[in-house]
Amino acid sequence: FEEELEGDEHEDIEEAEYNEEAESDDDDEDDDIEEGEVIDAYDRFNTDGSIRRSESEKVALRAGAPAGGLFAIIDLAGSQQKVTLDDVVIVNKLKPVDKWSVGSVHTLTADDVLLLGSSHLTLVGLPGVKGAEVDLMVEEITKDEKVIVFKKRRRKHSRRKNGFRRDVTMLRVLDIRFPEKFSAHEYRGKDEEK
């Protein structure tokens, strides 16, 4: 009689595990969207808050596709930055401050734009892309997060602790423009539908 009960319990356990597996498979299918599927605002996000993406988008993002398809590599204050539209770039404080004041808009041209690319076209400069332009706006001039510099010489009763905050300028990328020769080139922006 005990063997019969154990056999019934075993079947119930197997059935429960099977049901849990079936439910988890359904959840995975809900997270992915098909290529041409139209979704409303509530279906745009997964339950964990992340944006729902199709399999092809996930593969492209894993492969390092730039956001929006249009990007540039610029040389600014001795450092190179890869930027896309509406990015915020943090660089060492740009001087003179009266030229790089908050709210001022600057256009980088020629030697400062090292590379320009989209999903279908890449222009590499030698050293810069002639005719390419990137518009930047100064959003904020502030100090970076504090870095603690601590030095100790053991067994010498010598310790020194200093804090350091570098001055930074925050820039917003307003626009990226191809040279006139390639101005008719079409690329897929990040807000455009497929």
Side-chain angles (χ1 to χ4, degrees):
F1 180 71
E2 291 178 4
E3 293 175 3
E4 291 177 15
L5 285 178
E6 289 177 7
D8 291 340
E9 288 176 9
H10 185 67
E11 290 174 9
D12 291 339
I13 292 171
E14 286 180 0
E15 195 172 307
E17 288 175 359
Y18 175 75
N19 289 339
E20 287 175 9
E21 289 175 9
E23 288 174 7
S24 64
D25 289 344
D26 292 342
D27 293 340
D28 293 341
E29 292 172 7
D30 291 342
D31 292 344
D32 299 333
I33 57 174
E34 299 300 322
E35 281 297 320
E37 184 179 346
V38 178
I39 55 174
D40 59 344
Y42 293 108
D43 292 334
R44 188 169 182 191
F45 299 98
N46 293 328
T47 54
D48 64 347
S50 61
I51 297 175
R52 293 180 68 197
R53 299 186 188 275
S54 65
E55 273 303 313
S56 59
E57 278 182 300
K58 289 178 184 177
V59 169
L61 289 171
R62 270 187 243 119
L70 181 63
F71 67 98
I73 295 180
I74 58 174
D75 183 19
L76 196 58
S79 65
Q80 296 178 6
Q81 306 278 341
K82 179 180 178 182
V83 297
T84 61
L85 291 176
D86 210 34
D87 271 359
V88 174
V89 182
I90 300 174
V91 295
N92 288 331
K93 187 173 183 180
L94 299 172
K95 297 178 182 176
V97 177
D98 56 342
K99 179 185 173 193
W100 294 92
S101 62
V102 175
S104 61
V105 177
H106 302 274
T107 302
L108 301 181
T109 58
D111 291 338
D112 294 329
V113 181
L114 305 177
L115 185 140
L116 204 62
S118 72
S119 54
H120 302 299
L121 178 70
T122 302
L123 301 175
V124 180
L126 295 170
V129 180
K130 290 184 177 157
E133 295 179 342
V134 177
D135 290 340
L136 303 170
M137 181 179 75
V138 180
E139 285 212 340
E140 189 177 351
I141 298 172
T142 185
K143 289 183 176 255
D144 206 357
E145 186 179 353
K146 184 182 286 187
V147 176
I148 302 297
V149 181
F150 182 76
K151 294 187 177 182
K152 178 181 178 181
R153 294 165 194 90
R154 60 188 184 146
R155 299 187 302 273
K156 307 291 185 211
H157 195 66
S158 172
R159 298 192 312 186
R160 187 173 69 192
K161 180 180 178 182
N162 286 327
F164 172 75
R165 296 180 70 187
R166 68 175 181 145
D167 293 322
V168 295
T169 302
M170 295 185 182
L171 305 165
R172 168 102 36 201
V173 179
L174 300 176
D175 193 19
I176 299 173
R177 292 186 294 277
F178 276 95
E180 286 189 28
K181 181 179 178 182
F182 300 97
S183 61
H185 168 69
E186 292 184 16
Y187 62 91
R188 181 175 293 152
K190 61 180 164 184
D191 294 333
E192 294 177 20
E193 292 295 322
K194 291 183 178 179

